Amino acid sequence: MEVVQVLHMNGGVGETSYAKNSLLQQKVITMTKPITEDAITKLYCSKYPEEIAIADLGCSSGPNTFFLVSELLKVVDSVRQKIGQKSPEYQVFLNDLPGNDFNTIFRSLSIFQNKLRKQLGPGNGPCFFTGVPGSFYGRLFRKNSLHFVHSSYSLHWLSQVPQGLESNKRNIYMASTSPPDVLKAYYVQFQKDFSLFLKCRSEELVDGGRMVLTLIGRRSDDPSSKECCYFWELLAMALSDMLVEV
């Protein structure tokens, strides 16, 4: 079965849901807020568009989904009021894989919209939301249809399991015991995926559009270093121990 059909965060709003366990991701969005604000401000001030199309790729579900959108709209609204511009209309595309819990997102949409209207006050343009299920490692939107693309903590997920991992015994990801050909396989797959991602977005963005991408990195030159892979080594050990007990 393809990754696109099975990969998703835990849905709902229960104790084990992504919505209740995504404070780290929210912290990352907050840390990158100055970069995002600068990008959306420069986009708006370059042409003062009458409509702005925003795509959040890998939106998942829960408070982070609307947190980003509200911050972007607040920035644009603040800038347009200072210079006396009429508010643009907004089209927001929320994208994730088909298994994402879009139901939870849209059940809470009206609450978010009412809250946003109170925060922005009168004069703010309408904001339309659309769910877009599908992999961002392919075309999702019409050519020249997006003004702003955002993706946070999503692009480290590959489109598929790399080819040639048969020698990666007792591991579920890159690890200190992984042979060089396994590390190379992950490198090649990421290069292929990221290049395709950029190619698709270059066709979908309007001239002068902006994109802010945040993904996990590492300080070490070692792709199997503990700063990014140790968690997966521990998980592999736990799964191996569970298998022995069966």
Side-chain angles (χ1 to χ4, degrees), residues 6-246:
V6 297
L7 181 63
H8 60 83
M9 302 297 107
N10 276 359
V13 293
E15 290 303 313
T16 60
S17 67
Y18 178 84
K20 290 289 182 69
N21 296 276
S22 52
L23 288 179
L24 173 61
Q25 289 80 357
Q26 186 179 92
K27 181 179 179 181
V28 171
I29 294 174
T30 302
M31 288 172 62
T32 56
K33 184 178 175 182
I35 298 173
T36 306
E37 289 183 349
D38 181 64
I40 194 71
T41 299
K42 288 180 177 177
L43 165 70
Y44 179 67
C45 292
S46 63
K47 295 182 179 179
Y48 303 115
E50 294 183 356
E51 59 181 45
I52 299 178
I54 299 169
D56 185 16
L57 307 183
C59 67
S60 194
S61 61
N64 292 348
T65 302
F66 294 127
F67 175 67
L68 167 74
V69 175
S70 65
E71 292 302 307
L72 291 174
L73 269 59
K74 287 175 187 176
V75 171
V76 174
D77 194 63
S78 175
V79 172
R80 69 96 185 166
Q81 288 192 50
K82 289 178 181 178
I83 58 179
Q85 285 285 118
K86 181 182 178 182
S87 174
E89 293 189 353
Y90 302 95
Q91 173 69 65
V92 178
F93 297 103
L94 302 176
N95 158 257
D96 213 309
L97 296 178
N100 185 54
D101 187 6
F102 286 101
N103 288 334
T104 294
I105 293 176
F106 287 100
R107 273 197 294 266
S108 59
L109 179 58
S110 60
I111 298 174
F112 166 74
Q113 289 177 314
N114 290 333
K115 181 180 179 181
L116 187 64
R117 277 193 288 267
K118 292 178 181 178
Q119 290 176 334
L120 298 180
N124 193 61
C127 183
F128 305 98
F129 286 82
T130 303
V132 184
S135 171
F136 49 49
Y137 293 124
R139 285 287 303 278
L140 292 166
F141 309 99
R142 294 181 295 106
K143 283 189 175 182
N144 303 315
S145 61
L146 300 177
H147 296 87
F148 192 88
V149 171
H150 177 270
S151 182
S152 181
Y153 259 45
S154 297
L155 279 163
H156 51 271
W157 294 103
L158 302 177
S159 66
Q160 65 178 53
V161 177
Q163 300 294 317
L165 301 185
E166 294 79 10
S167 60
N168 200 28
K169 303 297 184 182
R170 301 182 70 84
N171 293 314
I172 58 176
Y173 186 50
M174 294 183 294
S176 57
T177 57
S178 297
D181 62 312
V182 168
L183 305 182
K184 179 66 179 297
Y186 276 101
Y187 172 76
V188 169
Q189 186 63 51
F190 177 78
Q191 273 201 324
K192 178 182 176 182
D193 286 346
F194 194 51
S195 297
L196 181 57
F197 176 92
L198 294 177
K199 179 179 183 296
C200 293
R201 304 296 83 78
S202 70
E203 296 176 6
E204 296 165 348
L205 277 165
V206 300
D207 183 32
R210 297 292 195 275
M211 190 160 59
V212 176
L213 310 176
T214 308
L215 59 157
I216 295 175
R218 65 174 187 274
R219 296 181 180 88
S220 171
D221 291 333
D222 179 8
S224 63
S225 64
K226 287 189 175 182
E227 64 180 314
C228 62
C229 298
Y230 190 53
F231 167 81
W232 299 106
E233 290 193 52
L234 294 176
L235 182 57
M237 293 168 59
L239 291 174
S240 295
D241 289 343
M242 290 172 63
L243 186 62
V244 171
E245 294 177 2
V246 173

